[in-house]
Amino acid sequence: QITLKESGPTLVKPTQTLTLTCTFSGFSLSASGVGVAWIRQPPGKALEWLAFIYWDDDKRYSPSLKSRLTITKDTSKNQVVLTMANMDPVDTATYYCAHSLLGMFGELSEFDYWGQGTLVTVSS
Amino acid sequence: QSALTQPPSASGSPGQSVTISCTGTSSDVGGYNYVSWYQQHPGKAPKLMIYEVTKRPSGVPDRFSGSKSGNTASLTVSGLQAEDEADYYCCSYGGSNNLGVFGTGTKVTVL
């Protein structure tokens, strides 16, 4: 059974760096064809893909946020960490991590398992 | 990086069908058969309903079906039930530097 859970601060100040941890079980992030994504959702708004880390440590970022994001993994701890620099009130959102399987040529196929999400508020 | 376009709302009576469209471009929806659909109830995490355009994960009722024509994908919910009332989001692979492009979301109301 695959489970994921996000953890991190609920409140950050503008200009600070946000660090979120996704702790998962039920799969190995060293297995070929597997990846973990971070996705966010501002209150009342749509989902937005942020970052993705592949089993082989390759990484991809949303083009619009690439300069602010870093995604890493610790396979031994079954954790994926996302950092987002220079936080702004518009970054207030629920942040989700999700398990993903990849297509034959590395295409992101779907997000089949999601964490419960963690609400991060950016305010001074 | 533009979001895929979905109608803001859709509705139907119990037992009826509702179809939600998801319009992108040849760089995402039209270029790959990696369109997925997610159902989200208030305060809950999204749930995968359709993947690879037409496939249903185990446990998803066969009332949910997906299709694609050109740059537009669609989700159809047949035999609407009260529990189908939720927000629905599409998502498409958009190439190696834009892995997941989500739609704007559609609120489905069961009348």
Side-chain angles (χ1 to χ4, degrees):
Chain A
Q1 180 189 2
I2 290 176
T3 64
L4 305 98
K5 187 173 184 179
E6 306 85 354
S7 59
T10 57
L11 179 66
V12 297
K13 290 179 167 47
T15 75
Q16 287 187 334
T17 294
L18 171 68
T19 298
L20 294 173
T21 300
C22 174
T23 303
F24 58 85
S25 63
F27 68 95
S28 171
L29 198 41
S30 58
S32 178
V34 172
V36 171
W38 283 96
I39 297 154
R40 71 177 179 180
Q41 184 174 37
K45 296 188 177 182
L47 298 164
E48 178 184 21
W49 168 71
L50 301 176
F52 188 84
I53 190 162
Y54 294 79
W55 81 96
D56 62 359
D57 208 36
D58 195 7
K59 301 157 189 177
R60 294 288 186 273
Y61 299 100
S62 165
S64 61
L65 294 166
K66 185 175 182 178
S67 63
R68 299 173 54 203
L69 296 173
T70 303
I71 189 170
T72 60
K73 65 180 175 75
D74 186 331
T75 304
S76 64
K77 292 183 178 179
N78 280 354
Q79 290 182 334
V80 172
V81 175
L82 179 76
T83 61
M84 179 179 289
N86 194 24
M87 293 292 284
D88 183 272
V90 300
D91 296 314
T92 294
T94 296
Y95 287 76
Y96 296 99
C97 61
H99 171 274
S100 181
L101 293 175
L102 299 166
M104 191 182 308
F105 301 106
E107 306 95 333
L108 193 155
S109 180
E110 71 271 5
F111 306 109
D112 52 356
Y113 295 92
W114 295 64
Q116 64 189 24
T118 184
L119 175 61
V120 178
T121 301
V122 184
S123 175
S124 54
Chain B
Q1 177 195 6
S2 297
L4 308 177
T5 301
Q6 298 179 232
S9 62
S11 62
S13 299
Q16 290 187 330
S17 295
V18 65
T19 297
I20 305 165
S21 61
C22 168
T23 301
T25 68
S26 57
S27 296
D28 38 62
V29 175
Y32 307 94
N33 287 322
Y34 289 107
V35 176
S36 51
W37 289 90
Y38 302 86
Q39 176 191 67
Q40 187 179 35
H41 288 110
K44 300 295 186 182
K47 174 187 175 183
L48 177 66
M49 304 302 284
I50 295 288
Y51 68 102
E52 293 180 17
V53 180
T54 62
K55 298 177 181 179
R56 271 181 293 106
S58 173
V60 172
D62 59 7
R63 303 184 291 105
F64 291 85
S65 62
S67 63
K68 190 184 85 166
S69 178
N71 296 337
T72 298
S74 299
L75 173 72
T76 298
V77 186
S78 305
L80 269 174
Q81 298 184 6
E83 60 261 36
D84 300 332
E85 185 162 295
D87 293 326
Y88 291 82
Y89 293 92
C90 61
C91 183
S92 174
Y93 177 70
S96 62
N97 290 317
N98 199 10
L99 294 190
V101 186
F102 279 97
T104 50
T106 299
K107 182 174 180 58
V108 169
T109 301
V110 181
L111 301 171

